Structures are given as structure tokens and as C-alpha cells.
Amino acid sequence: MTDQLRSTFDAPDVFCIDVMTPIQFCRVRFPKLTQFAQFGLVGLSGLVVDLVVLMVCHTILPLTISRGLAIWTAMTWNFFLNRELTFADQQSDRPLLEYIRFCGACLTGAIVNWTVSVSLCSCSDWFGDRPATAAVIGVIAASCVNYRLCVRW
């Protein structure tokens, strides 16, 4: 084997094949659809976080406080997960400012979420016994409000 041929085969990336993961392929081929799907999946994971925190906190705190903590925890979860997955290419070097802006953008929806879920539990014994169900309805109402606000802006 000649020296030139040997050095070609000794190169570290001669036998490396650049394989895309399915997510990478989708990001390249369908960027907007992939971003929307990731955003939705992060939102669903936030719903799970919301419900878990609500159920844990509601065992020791009043519903009004438990609901607020659950909403805030889910918003924070969604912020960090979206920052790392959905919008990883759009991060700034000021994550605290991004977080404050994100919370500000979510504030109207959070208020709607809290008001709907707490009101349902207060006005109905059935929902009072099922705060997680009321929380899901609050999340749906907040999602509709947030969507309408985003479309308008």
C-alpha cells in the first residue's frame, strides 16, 4: 500500500457515514411542521407536569395556591423544554430575559387557566372532587385564548 493510500484509509472520517435521525430529517425536510409538532408535544408534557404538581400540592395546600404553583411549574417546564428542543436554534445569550418574556406572553392564558379551573371546583361539587379534570378544562380554555391572541398579533 502506498503512503498516500494508507493515509487516506487512516483518516478518521473515511468510514464514517453521516446518518440523520428521523427528527433531524424532519427538521430539514419539514421545518415548520416539525417545530409545531415539537411545540405541541412539549405542551402535552407540560400538561402532565401541571397535573402532577397540582395533585401533589393539593394534598397540603389550598386549591387556589396549588393551581397557581402547578401552572407556574408547567410554564417553566415548557419554557426550558421548548428552549432546548423546539427553538434550540433561536436561543439568545440572555435566558432570564427570554424566560421573563415567555411568562409575560403566557400570563393571560395562565390567568384564564387558573380562573376557569378554580371556578369550576368552587361552583361544582363534581369538579371539586376532580380538580385534575377542572385543570384540563382550564388548560384547554387557556390554549384557546393564547392561540387567539397569537393570531391577532
Side-chain angles (χ1 to χ4, degrees), residues 31-93:
K32 294 292 184 192
L33 181 61
T34 303
Q35 188 177 54
F36 179 73
Q38 286 178 305
F39 186 79
L41 290 172
V42 167
L44 284 176
S45 74
L47 175 62
V48 172
V49 169
D50 186 339
L51 296 176
V52 168
V53 172
L54 172 64
M55 298 317 293
V56 169
C57 289
H58 191 49
T59 61
I60 57 174
L61 296 170
L63 178 66
T64 54
I65 295 171
S66 301
R67 197 67 203 105
L69 286 172
I71 291 168
W72 174 73
T73 304
M75 279 177 28
T76 302
W77 169 269
N78 285 355
F79 169 77
F80 284 108
L81 209 55
N82 271 320
R83 190 170 195 274
E84 290 302 314
L85 299 176
T86 310
F87 305 111
D89 59 333
Q90 299 172 19
Q91 292 182 11
S92 76
D93 57 347

